[in-house]
Amino acid sequence: MGTTFYTEDHEWIRVDGDQAVVGITNYAQEQLGDIVFVELPEAGRKVAKAETVIVVESVKAASDVYSPVGGEVLAVNDKLEAEPGLINEAAESDGWLMKLRLDDKAELEGLMDKAAYDATTG
């Protein structure tokens, strides 16, 4: 199951050991509206904390998604190529974006828990 953290940029990261799953929050998908395209990174790519790694396009705008931590992209959610709207349906579960192997778990410090994140989007 793992522990879930949130960023000020509306990404979530669910950490289990030295691996994590990353996506955008339900709040973010609601603000974007209907998502029509997702540009995902290649598996094997090394990413840095706060680096733009994904672009999510909706009927309203394109939005950059930043990596909450540094690491190696282990996998991406291939279902999103054919079904980008999966993010609208299940942003914090089946609509995940990428899986990472963490470089440094200390980078998780400073991220928010659910209660703190909910307080920012109130």
Side-chain angles (χ1 to χ4, degrees):
M1 187 73 184
T3 303
T4 305
F5 300 93
Y6 298 86
T7 72
E8 293 177 356
D9 297 313
H10 310 291
E11 292 97 12
W12 58 265
I13 178 168
R14 187 167 302 125
V15 179
D16 190 2
D18 69 343
Q19 297 186 16
V21 180
V22 175
I24 64 170
T25 64
N26 196 48
Y27 175 84
Q29 70 81 20
E30 287 175 358
Q31 298 302 306
L32 286 167
D34 291 338
I35 294 171
V36 295
F37 181 76
V38 182
E39 184 180 324
L40 296 166
E42 295 285 326
R45 177 177 163 185
K46 294 286 284 182
V47 299
K49 181 176 183 173
E51 180 182 344
T52 301
V53 290
I54 297 166
V55 177
V56 175
E57 293 183 27
S58 72
V59 293
K60 292 182 181 176
S63 182
D64 292 335
V65 178
Y66 308 99
S67 184
V69 296
E72 178 184 356
V73 178
L74 297 175
V76 296
N77 190 348
D78 291 332
K79 288 183 183 176
L80 297 177
E81 289 181 21
E83 300 176 65
L86 191 56
I87 296 172
N88 294 115
E89 295 169 20
E92 298 189 29
S93 57
D94 293 342
W96 61 275
L97 298 171
M98 66 178 173
K99 294 182 179 179
L100 289 175
R101 177 177 297 120
L102 307 180
D103 280 343
D104 182 1
K105 290 181 85 170
E107 290 183 337
L108 298 168
E109 294 174 15
L111 299 179
M112 295 177 275
D113 64 14
K114 177 87 172 135
Y117 178 74
D118 286 348
T120 67
T121 59

